[in-house]
Amino acid sequence: MRHHTYRQARGDPPHFKRWRAVAASLAVCTLGALTPVSAHASPTTDGGPETNPVVASYASDYSVTLAEAQQRLERIPELQEIIAALHEAESERLAGWGIDHHGPMIAWVWLTGTEPPTSAATAIAAAHDDVQVRTGATVTFAALAAAQDRFGIGEGIGAVGNTGAVGGTQVDLSDMIAHTAVNLRANALEIGIDTAAAAPEPSGALDSADERTPIGPLGTVDDLDSPDTTLAHVAQLIAPHINVPFNVIEADPVEDQAAFEGGRRMGRCTSGFAAQHRGTGRYGMITAGHCDSTSWSTQGVTLTRAEHAYNSTMDAAFYTIPQAQSHQVTNQVVCVNDYATQDTCSIRSVGPSRLRMMDVPVCHSGDKSGVSCGTVDHIRYRPRLENGCDGHGGNCSAVFGRAAGPGMKACKGDSGGPVYSFSTAYGIHKGGPKDNPCTAVNSWISFSAIRDVRDDLNVNVITFGPINVP
C-alpha cells in the first residue's frame, strides 16, 4: 500500500520503558469476553474436532504454535482490563494503546512527552511482565480524535479543518477520501485516498477555466502522473489545515457489503448473531441495517424486521423469528469453511467496548467470502461511502471498527455477518473494499461494535442454547 507521511513515519515510539517500582499488584476483574471454553469448533462428521479459526489464524499470522496461540488469546481479556486501568491512570497524556503480537506478546500504552508515568501507572506495569508504559508520543488520542472530527471527509477544509484554504479558495476533497482513522501506532491521523478518484479529475481545488482539473501542489493544475505523486500533492494541499501529525495513504474505495445461527445467507446479506428483544421478548437474528427490507428469508424461514438502525453511527437491524412453529435459536455461528459439515462455534459472551478492541484477533463469517480472520487495527474508523452512511448521503461518524489480515476476505453479500473472537461476539459486518473479489485475501472489513449494536437495537445477544421459540 502506498502512503505519504506528512512528518517522518513512526513505528514503535523512540522512547519507551517498562517502568518498575516497588512490588505492586493489580486485582484484575476480567470481562469474561474472549475467554474460550475450548479451542475447538463443533466436531466434524468423522468425529475429530476442528481447530477454532481464531486460534488457527493467530498461529499462522504470528508464527507460533497452536498451543501458544491458545495461551495468548486466553490472556487478552486480562490485558484489556489492564490497559483500561492505565487509561484511567494516564488520561491526560494518553496517546495510543494496543497489543504487540509479533515476538513476545506485549500490551502497551503510549503517553505524550518523555516524563515518567504516574506512580499508579508505574505500579500497574510493574506487576505484569507483558505490560509496558511507553513515552515519547507527540499528541494525545483526544487531540487526534478532535482533529478527525474537524476534518470530516474533507468536504471543506481550511485552517484547522474549517472552510477556506490556500489563496482563500475552499478545497473539497470529499470525492477522493476513502476513509479517515486515528492510527494509534503511528500517533497520527490517517487519511485514505482513492488515487483513481483523485486524478486526473477530482472535485478539489478549482481552476476558473475548468471546474474539474487535476490538483497539484497546493491546488495548482499540474498533472498527477502516478499514485505516489498524487498522495504527495494531496498531503501538501492538506498540510496547512490540520494541526496534528497525519499520514496520507493510498486506500481502496469503500462500500457496504450486502442464516437461525450466524453466518448464513439472509436475503442478500448474512445473518449475524441470534438475539432476544428486551422489550417484547421476541427472538430473532441481527444483520446489517443497510440490508433493508421489511422481511428476509434465512434457512428457509421468513423473518420480519422489528428494529432498524442505519445511520451515521450504526448499521444493524433485528428480524424476528415466527412464533409457535417449533423453531429454535442457537448461540452458534459458522466458523469453518465447509458448509457440507456445517461446523459452528458457540458464542458465550459479548465483547468489550469498541475502544478496548485494539489489536484483538477476530474472524468474520460471510455468506459469500466464507470464514476469514485478521486483527482489529482501528477502533475509530470513519469510512466515506458513495451513498452516505445512511444511504442518503449522510456522513459516517468515527465510531466503527476495522480488522485486517493476510488471510482476511470480504465481498458483497457478507454484510450483517458475525465478527467474533473465540466464543465472544465483537460486531456486525458493515463493509469492505469496493468491487473486491470474494477470493482475494489480505483484505479488511469494517464493523459495528457489538455493544453499540445491542443497545441501539434493544436486544440481548444469545450466549447459550438452543432455545425453543415460543
Side-chain angles (χ1 to χ4, degrees), residues 47-63:
E50 289 282 352
T51 300
N52 187 290
V54 179
V55 178
S57 176
Y58 189 101
S60 174
D61 290 351
Y62 300 109
S63 300

Side-chain angles (χ1 to χ4, degrees), residues 260-262 272-275 283-285 299 321 328-333 344-347 461-469:
F260 301 131
E261 62 192 23
F273 301 103
Y283 291 97
M285 299 300 300
Q299 296 179 240
I321 297 169
Q328 288 186 331
V329 292
T330 75
N331 63 331
Q332 304 294 304
V333 297
T344 60
C345 295
S346 298
I347 298 299
V461 175
I462 300 300
T463 54
F464 59 93
I467 300 171
N468 294 321
V469 177

Side-chain angles (χ1 to χ4, degrees), residues 384-407:
R384 202 284 276 172
L385 296 154
E386 183 177 355
N387 295 321
C389 218
D390 54 5
H392 301 289
N395 294 331
C396 293
S397 297
V399 295
F400 296 95
R402 199 186 89 147

Side-chain angles (χ1 to χ4, degrees), residues 220-303:
T220 69
V221 293
D222 295 344
D223 290 337
L224 302 178
D225 55 5
S226 74
D228 288 332
T229 56
T230 297
L231 295 177
H233 292 168
V234 171
Q236 291 181 62
L237 186 65
I238 293 174
H241 315 300
I242 295 184
N243 64 340
V244 296
F246 70 94
N247 300 328
V248 176
I249 69 169
E250 184 178 18
D252 295 315
V254 184
E255 69 176 357
D256 283 332
Q257 299 173 326
F260 301 131
E261 62 192 23
R264 299 297 186 184
R265 177 176 297 179
M266 187 166 176
R268 61 174 180 263
C269 293
T270 304
S271 61
F273 301 103
Q276 184 180 25
H277 196 274
R278 294 169 177 171
T280 65
R282 294 286 301 272
Y283 291 97
M285 299 300 300
I286 302 171
T287 190
H290 71 261
C291 306
D292 193 15
S293 177
T294 56
S295 64
W296 283 126
S297 293
T298 182
Q299 296 179 240
V301 178
T302 299
L303 279 60

Side-chain angles (χ1 to χ4, degrees), residues 197-222:
E201 293 185 339
S203 61
L206 303 180
D207 180 83
S208 58
D210 185 353
E211 289 192 351
R212 293 186 62 80
T213 54
I215 65 170
L218 299 182
T220 69
V221 293
D222 295 344

